[in-house]
Amino acid sequence: MSNLLIVESKNDKFFLQALIEELNYDIEIDAPIFIDDYECLEGLSEKRLVEALKSLLADIQKRQISKIGIVIDIDQDSQQKRLQFINKCLRQVFTLNNEFSDISQFITVNIPGYDSIEIACYFTHVEGQGELETVLKLIKTKESTYADCLESWRNCLESNNKLITDKEYDKFWISNYIRFDTCSSSERKQAERKCSMKNFEYIMKEKKYIWDFNHSVLDDIKKFLHLFVAES
């Protein structure tokens, strides 16, 4: 029997894979839901999550899945609103005897012609808001002068009645941190491959040292992931 995580984007997948490797857990991560930035601005796509769950249901017996985890960003929503969103999506795919009332807790779902499976969810956040980039910004390990100086740029924008959202700012901060604060001059000659969020898989495989995987902000996601470790 295997355990599976459903994630929101490919970068979430690469980050969680790196964290799972650090923890030495045996957990598979399914294909990302691939929510793009424009859809995120209007809220997580219900359609795409339902499609992912339906695809998984059709394949569940062949893959012998026992537990499923759903990891999405909390963004600017409350935890309760995100739980309601997950429950709504699950009801469109499964017959539920109970629903989520909290993160990191399993609910049991019966599958016709199969055994029951357990499902749990987690929302990526820092102090109740944000997304992956918000977490990455907090767990950086290197001096971040280039990225931190963006604060002056943001203040300049505000003084000229131009605004940038926290979401946009955090993404820009991470891009600058990776490219200018953590890449050598030689690496910048191959910037898209070695110094860019466009190739975040490379960053998480080859440059994990630029993140602190022991930071306390990761304690909750580690507890969530531990739910999927097979009991010995």
Side-chain angles (χ1 to χ4, degrees), residues 6-219:
I6 298 174
V7 295
E8 188 171 329
S9 74
K10 64 181 185 299
N11 285 345
D12 291 297
K13 178 177 180 177
F14 299 144
F15 173 74
L16 286 174
Q17 282 177 328
L19 180 57
I20 287 167
E21 287 175 6
E22 288 288 312
L23 297 169
N24 197 27
Y25 289 169
D26 182 17
I27 307 172
E28 180 184 354
I29 303 182
D30 202 22
I33 305 169
F34 286 123
I35 308 300
D36 64 42
D37 290 342
Y38 295 99
E39 287 175 321
C40 279
L41 294 175
E42 299 300 326
L44 184 64
S45 169
E46 177 182 327
K47 178 183 177 182
R48 296 231 177 138
L49 180 53
V50 169
E51 286 176 351
L53 291 169
K54 285 182 177 178
S55 175
L56 195 58
L57 177 60
D59 208 28
I60 207 166
Q61 189 161 356
K62 181 173 69 175
R63 297 176 68 173
Q64 291 290 294
I65 295 169
S66 173
K67 297 176 181 178
I68 296 172
I70 301 171
V71 181
I72 62 175
D73 298 332
I74 201 166
D75 289 324
Q76 303 302 311
D77 280 339
S78 66
Q79 178 173 299
Q80 187 59 37
K81 189 171 181 179
R82 274 299 194 237
L83 289 168
Q84 291 171 354
F85 169 79
I86 295 288
N87 287 329
K88 182 179 180 182
C89 292
L90 287 174
R91 286 195 299 269
Q92 296 179 56
V93 182
F94 303 103
T95 300
L96 301 181
N97 295 322
N98 54 0
E99 297 184 345
F100 289 123
S101 58
D102 204 351
I103 60 167
S104 300
Q105 293 183 355
F106 281 121
I107 61 172
T108 301
V109 178
N110 294 317
I111 308 296
Y114 188 63
D115 205 349
S116 61
I117 61 171
E118 292 184 297
I119 305 177
C121 64
Y122 180 83
F123 309 130
T124 303
H125 70 95
V126 174
E127 296 182 351
Q129 290 190 328
E131 56 184 338
L132 175 61
E133 284 82 0
T134 320
V135 174
L136 293 175
K137 187 167 179 261
L138 192 61
I139 66 170
K140 62 95 179 179
T141 58
K142 300 300 179 181
E143 183 177 332
S144 53
T145 305
Y146 283 93
D148 290 339
C149 282
L150 290 172
E151 187 66 31
S152 296
W153 167 75
R154 190 180 196 184
N155 292 335
C156 176
L157 288 177
E158 291 179 355
S159 67
N160 286 277
N161 298 316
K162 304 290 185 182
L163 300 179
I164 183 170
T165 66
D166 289 341
K167 182 186 185 77
E168 292 168 325
Y169 178 78
D170 287 348
K171 287 182 181 294
F172 199 23
W173 192 99
I174 292 298
S175 293
N176 278 269
Y177 172 68
I178 291 173
R179 181 157 185 166
F180 297 107
D181 288 307
T182 70
C183 277
S184 64
S185 299
S186 60
E187 285 175 323
R188 289 181 205 166
K189 294 177 182 178
Q190 303 178 66
E192 186 164 333
R193 188 170 77 84
K194 294 186 175 182
C195 308
S196 169
M197 285 295 283
K198 289 183 179 179
N199 195 14
F200 193 56
E201 183 175 17
Y202 173 87
I203 302 296
M204 297 313 297
K205 284 183 177 179
E206 304 297 329
K207 303 183 71 172
K208 291 198 292 185
Y209 56 86
I210 70 172
W211 316 111
D212 178 10
F213 287 95
N214 293 313
H215 196 288
S216 60
V217 78
L218 300 178
D219 288 350

